[in-house]
Amino acid sequence: MLTDERIKQAFAKDGEFAQILLDFEEREEQTKMALAVFDALTNNHHLMVEAGTGVGKSLAYALPAALWAKANKKRVIVSTYTKILQNQLIKKDLPILKSAIGDDLNVEVIYGQENYLCRRRLNSSINFGLFDTRDQAAEIDKILEWSNSGSGILAEYPEPISI
C-alpha cells in the first residue's frame, strides 16, 4: 500500500535515492514537496509548488506520481515548458527513478506538433514535385525512407535538412 512513509523513506539519507546516487543529499524541501504531491494525488486536489534551483523538483513530483499511478492503475501526464526539461526527465531523472523504485515504469515523450514530420506535407512535396533541384529530390527520398522507420521527431533526423 502506498503511504507517505514510503515517500519519506525514498528521500531519506539512507533511502533508495541515496543508495543509487553517490552525491545524494537529503533535502527537507524535496521531501515536503513529494509529500504535498502525494497528498494532492491521493485526495484529488490541485497543487501548485514553487521551489528553488537544486531542490530536486523533478524527483519530488515524479516519485509520488509514479507510485500513485501504479497503485491506482492510472496514467500520469507531466507537461514541461521546455524540451530541455523533457530530455532531462527522460534521460536522467526517470532512469534514476526506475532504479530507485525497482519497478518497470513506462514513459513516453510527446512533443508539440511542430516537432514532428508532417507526412501529408512530405507526400505533397513528392507528388507535386515541390523541389527545385535533383539534390532536393534525393533529400526528400532520404527523409521519406527515414520517416517509415523512426518516431517522426525531426530532431532525431540524422543530418541537417536543407529544404
Side-chain angles (χ1 to χ4, degrees):
M1 183 173 163
L2 181 58
T3 66
D4 61 342
E5 290 304 316
R6 173 72 174 90
I7 306 292
K8 288 178 188 175
Q9 175 54 38
F11 290 105
K13 64 182 173 191
D14 60 346
E16 290 94 336
F17 291 119
Q19 292 175 24
I20 61 169
L21 296 171
L22 298 176
D23 59 346
F24 180 81
E25 296 175 21
E26 185 175 13
R27 297 182 189 102
E28 183 180 349
E29 298 88 356
Q30 186 179 39
T31 304
K32 282 182 180 180
M33 180 179 163
L35 291 170
V37 170
F38 171 72
D39 180 65
L41 289 166
T42 303
N43 295 305
N44 196 28
H45 65 82
H46 294 93
L47 174 68
M48 185 181 300
V49 178
E50 182 177 16
T53 302
V55 168
K57 294 178 287 293
S58 297
L59 290 176
Y61 67 73
L63 174 70
L67 294 174
W68 179 88
K70 181 175 167 55
N72 292 283
K73 295 181 172 58
K74 301 273 185 180
R75 293 181 183 179
V76 173
I77 296 174
V78 174
S79 176
T80 66
Y81 183 66
T82 66
K83 287 187 263 185
I84 292 170
L85 184 52
Q86 284 178 334
N87 289 329
Q88 175 190 318
L89 286 169
I90 288 296
K91 293 178 180 171
K92 179 184 169 218
D93 297 330
L94 294 177
I96 290 169
L97 179 61
K98 286 181 178 186
S99 295
I101 63 176
D103 258 337
D104 59 333
L105 181 64
N106 297 320
V107 296
E108 295 293 332
V109 175
I110 301 173
Y111 296 109
Q113 69 182 12
E114 70 278 0
N115 294 285
Y116 292 92
L117 176 70
C118 178
R119 289 179 187 257
R120 183 182 54 77
R121 287 184 182 166
L122 179 64
N123 288 328
S124 290
S125 295
I126 293 167
N127 293 335
F128 297 109
L130 301 178
F131 35 83
D132 298 323
T133 67
R134 288 188 189 274
D135 289 342
Q136 288 179 343
E139 186 172 9
I140 293 256
D141 287 341
K142 281 189 200 175
I143 294 169
L144 179 62
E145 184 178 325
W146 169 81
S147 74
N148 291 323
S149 62
S151 66
I153 298 171
L154 292 171
E156 292 177 358
Y157 188 69
E159 54 192 76
I161 297 174
S162 66
I163 50 178

